[in-house]
């Protein structure tokens, strides 16, 4: 079909190039990774603090909420991936084709959500549990971590490969912790309660925990906000679909930069291309389900079971980093000193890896948007923009820590509401993009369209309720 006319909008950005869809992988194990990276970056405070805290307060009656949140995000991730598989462009670039500044809007919201270097301070706090040093050393440990993260992300020859290896190590450590917990700490009662909590005893503990916390736990199980959008960038660097034609993000210091078009590609819907598309689409769905969805849910379930087995019903537990100190101490008392140390060590390393992933995905989204939309005609490469954004985030985090700022209320409000706002808005945009910018044969339809409509309703409702609650806290009432 040589007379195929690309269907992506061209009002803001130039037309795409028509090329055949690359052959799907013969060895699927070689291209598994983006889903694990998404799950690994998302395994942070929710899996280590929020969901275990819920289990410590109300038991395991709410694990079904994690399943709902993860399934919703799986559908979102697949629609984000659909556009990239079909064009080689990120979802942010697709949104920018609809309106020039959509990418900027999402990057600003992502920066607002990640402005405070909370993941490194949480990791640093767990290091102090291991070393016995006081809280005063948290700042300096966190600063050192920020420098290591910036160096790691800007000196690795292929940045995605470096991040993937870090996340693979993190997941291996978390799996080790879970296996040891099953052998030594998770009691028989928790296995019974998991089954009952997912069936006959399932509950919605808004009265005990507060509506915002319960709904937020559902919404952010797995990932959330800008991290879901970065699935585009990660699968493109892995060479999925039309992303195989786009050079990978490399270090401007140690990597070999390649000339890259600022726009993507489309394939003509011939029989051969559509056969390849079905294979790519099937693989991408399985990869996300078997990695992102499965790993996220199992981690939440087992970390919640560990908390239930050790601290369920204990008074005075805080929904904060201090929760991990108490849980580690209980593990030392009930299992042995070594297990408390293992728990804190793996927690510190896991949260450090999450911090690296957060800096990476924030910088990827920003650099891709800046280069594609605002610096398209300039000689500067996306790799150099990425380098600048990574170090800007690290230096800003260091400045915040050196100035001694505690996390201000406004940042708590922003981080608590901005992810829901983002997901509400880009759920709508994904419907518009994947219905209107793709050929008829591969556009979103049927139950997947229904899943996006559910996402709009869910995150829209969560946005409104969160803003109402935060408004009351800020202004009284």
């Amino acid at each position: 079909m040589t007379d195929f006319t690309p269907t992506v909008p061209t009002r803001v950005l130039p037309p795409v190039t028509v090329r055949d869809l690359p052959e799907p992988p013969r060895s699927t194990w070689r291209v598994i990774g983006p889903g694990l990276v998404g799950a690994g970056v998302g395994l942070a405070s929710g899996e280590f603090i929020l969901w275990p805290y819920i289990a410590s307060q109300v038991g395991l009656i709410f694990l079904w909420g994690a399943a709902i949140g993860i399934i919703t995000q799986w559908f979102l991730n697949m629609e984000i991936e659909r556009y990239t598989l079909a064009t080689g462009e990120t979802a942010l670039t697709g949104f920018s084709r609809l309106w020039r500044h959509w990418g900027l809007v999402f990057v600003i919201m992502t920066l607002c959500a990640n402005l405070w270097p909370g993941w490194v301070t949480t990791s640093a706090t767990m290091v102090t549990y291991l070393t016995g040093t006081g809280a005063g050393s948290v700042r300096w440990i966190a600063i050192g971590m920020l420098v290591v993260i910036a160096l790691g992300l800007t000196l690795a020859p292929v940045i995605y490969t470096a991040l993937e290896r870090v996340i693979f190590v993190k997941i291996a450590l978390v799996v080790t912790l879970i296996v040891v917990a099953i052998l030594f700490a998770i009691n028989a009662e928790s296995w019974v309660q998991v089954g009952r909590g997912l069936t006959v005893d399932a509950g919605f503990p808004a009265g005990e925990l507060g509506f915002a916390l319960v709904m937020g736990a559902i919404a952010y199980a797995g990932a959330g906000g800008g991290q879901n959008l970065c699935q585009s960038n990660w699968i493109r660097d892995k060479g999925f679909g039309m992303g195989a034609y786009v050079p990978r993000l490399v270090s401007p210091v140690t990597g070999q930069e390649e000339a890259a078009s600022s726009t993507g590609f489309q394939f003509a819907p011939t029989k051969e291309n559509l056969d390849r598309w079905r294979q790519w689409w099937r693989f991408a769905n399985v990869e996300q389900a078997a990695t992102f969805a499965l790993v996220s849910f199992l981690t939440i379930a087992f970390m919640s079971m560990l908390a239930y087995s050790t601290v369920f019903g204990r008074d005075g537990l805080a929904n904060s980093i201090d929760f991990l100190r108490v849980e580690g101490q209980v593990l030392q008392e009930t299992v042995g000193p070594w297990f408390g140390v293992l728990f804190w060590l793996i927690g510190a390393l896991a949260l450090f890896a999450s911090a690296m992933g957060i800096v990476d995905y924030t910088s990827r989204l920003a650099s891709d948007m800046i280069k594609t939309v605002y610096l398209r005609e300039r000689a500067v490469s996306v790799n150099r923009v990425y380098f600048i954004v990574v170090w800007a985030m690290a230096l800003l985090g260091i400045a915040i820590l050196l100035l001694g700022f505690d996390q201000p209320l406004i940042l708590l409000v922003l981080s608590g509401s901005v992810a829901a706002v983002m997901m509400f808005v880009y759920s709508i945009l994904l419907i518009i993009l994947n219905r209107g910018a793709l050929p008829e044969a591969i556009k979103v339809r049927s139950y997947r369209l229904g899943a996006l409509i559910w996402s709009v309703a869910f995150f829209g409702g969560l946005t409104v309720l969160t803003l109402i609650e935060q408004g009351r806290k800020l202004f009284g009432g």
Side-chain angles (χ1 to χ4, degrees):
M1 192 178 297
T2 57
D3 58 346
F4 170 70
T5 301
T7 56
V8 297
T10 58
R11 183 175 60 84
V12 176
L13 295 174
V16 296
T17 303
V18 177
R19 297 186 68 169
D20 284 333
L21 182 65
E23 290 285 348
R26 294 184 179 180
S27 174
T28 55
W29 287 107
R30 295 183 60 185
V31 288
I32 283 180
L36 280 176
V37 171
V41 174
L43 299 180
S45 62
E47 286 70 14
F48 275 87
I49 301 175
L50 180 57
W51 282 97
Y53 172 75
I54 291 173
S56 75
Q57 299 299 300
V58 299
L60 300 172
I61 65 171
F62 190 50
L63 278 179
W64 63 269
I68 294 295
I70 290 169
I71 291 171
T72 300
Q73 289 191 37
W74 176 76
F75 278 107
L76 271 178
N77 287 353
M78 290 317 304
E79 293 312 311
I80 289 167
E81 290 194 14
R82 182 192 297 270
Y83 184 75
T84 302
L85 285 168
T87 66
E89 294 183 341
T90 64
L92 277 190
T93 299
F95 297 158
S96 297
R97 286 185 175 276
L98 302 176
W99 178 56
R100 179 179 177 85
H101 303 298
W102 270 129
L104 180 62
V105 169
F106 286 117
V107 166
I108 289 174
M109 287 196 287
T110 303
L111 286 169
C112 288
N114 298 330
L115 183 63
W116 176 256
W119 310 123
V120 287
T121 55
T122 304
S123 178
T125 302
M126 294 191 75
V127 171
T128 64
Y129 300 159
L130 289 165
T131 60
T133 53
S137 62
V138 169
R139 176 192 306 176
W140 303 107
I141 296 171
I143 288 173
M145 289 179 172
L146 284 171
V147 173
V148 171
I149 287 171
L151 288 172
L153 290 177
T154 55
L155 294 181
V158 178
I159 295 161
Y160 172 81
T161 301
L163 178 66
E164 187 178 75
R165 289 171 180 170
V166 169
I167 295 300
F168 279 15
V169 170
K170 169 184 175 172
I171 291 175
L173 290 171
V174 173
V175 169
T176 300
L177 176 64
I178 289 172
V179 170
V180 175
I182 291 172
L183 293 174
F184 295 101
I186 293 177
N187 57 36
E189 176 64 18
S190 66
W191 290 97
V192 175
Q193 291 303 316
V194 163
R196 295 184 63 85
L198 292 172
T199 53
V200 295
D201 287 342
F204 189 74
E208 299 93 327
L209 299 174
F211 188 83
L213 187 147
V214 170
M215 293 295 285
I218 296 175
Y220 312 133
Q227 184 184 323
N228 296 86
L229 288 175
C230 201
Q231 283 296 323
S232 280
N233 304 71
W234 288 329
I235 69 166
R236 188 171 70 173
D237 267 19
K238 195 68 174 180
F240 280 27
M242 300 299 275
Y245 295 127
V246 182
R248 294 188 294 181
L249 193 63
V250 301
S251 167
V253 179
T254 62
Q256 183 175 352
E257 297 186 54
E258 301 176 48
S261 170
S262 60
T263 55
F265 310 89
Q266 265 199 295
F267 60 87
T270 62
K271 180 182 183 302
E272 294 77 11
N273 279 328
L274 289 177
D275 286 344
R276 294 177 192 141
W277 169 262
R278 283 187 284 271
Q279 293 177 64
W280 270 114
W281 184 241
R282 187 182 306 114
F283 165 74
N285 277 271
V286 172
E287 198 268 347
Q288 274 286 307
T291 55
F292 171 81
L294 185 62
V295 170
S296 296
F297 180 76
L298 290 179
T299 304
I300 288 174
F302 281 113
M303 295 303 290
S304 296
M305 291 169 67
L306 180 60
Y308 179 84
S309 299
T310 53
V311 293
F312 174 61
R314 182 176 290 251
D315 294 329
L317 288 175
N319 181 20
S320 68
I321 182 63
D322 194 58
F323 174 83
L324 297 177
R325 178 183 61 81
V326 175
E327 188 173 356
Q329 289 172 343
V330 173
L331 289 172
Q332 288 183 318
E333 296 167 2
T334 57
V335 179
W338 64 272
F339 195 28
V341 171
L342 180 69
F343 176 75
W344 288 327
L345 176 63
I346 292 179
L349 293 171
L351 289 166
F352 172 80
S354 289
M356 176 176 281
I358 288 167
V359 174
D360 172 74
Y361 86 69
T362 304
S363 302
R364 279 178 185 272
L365 294 177
S367 58
D368 180 66
M369 179 276 303
I370 291 170
K371 172 59 180 175
T372 302
V373 179
Y374 299 105
L375 298 179
R376 187 164 49 86
E377 304 298 334
R378 301 293 181 86
V380 63
S381 70
V382 67
N383 307 287
R384 296 182 185 277
V385 179
Y386 176 88
F387 181 96
I388 293 170
V389 177
V390 165
W391 278 99
M393 287 190 67
L395 293 174
L396 180 60
I398 290 171
I400 291 173
L401 293 171
L402 287 176
L403 290 171
F405 289 141
D406 196 1
Q407 187 165 352
L409 177 60
I410 187 62
L411 290 184
L412 281 173
V413 173
L414 284 171
S415 61
S417 59
V418 72
V421 175
M422 287 181 68
M423 297 171 87
F424 165 62
V425 175
Y426 68 61
S427 294
I428 297 173
L429 293 178
L430 283 169
I431 294 175
I432 297 171
L433 188 67
N434 288 348
R435 289 287 298 172
L438 298 180
E440 181 67 28
I442 63 172
K443 65 175 53 175
V444 60
R445 55 170 57 85
S446 184
Y447 67 93
R448 292 182 185 268
L449 179 59
L452 286 180
I453 295 171
W454 150 255
S455 182
V456 172
F458 176 70
F459 290 113
L462 180 62
T463 296
V464 172
L465 292 170
T466 302
L467 290 175
I468 291 173
E469 183 175 80
Q470 297 295 350
R472 287 174 176 172
K473 290 180 180 179
L474 283 173
F475 305 112

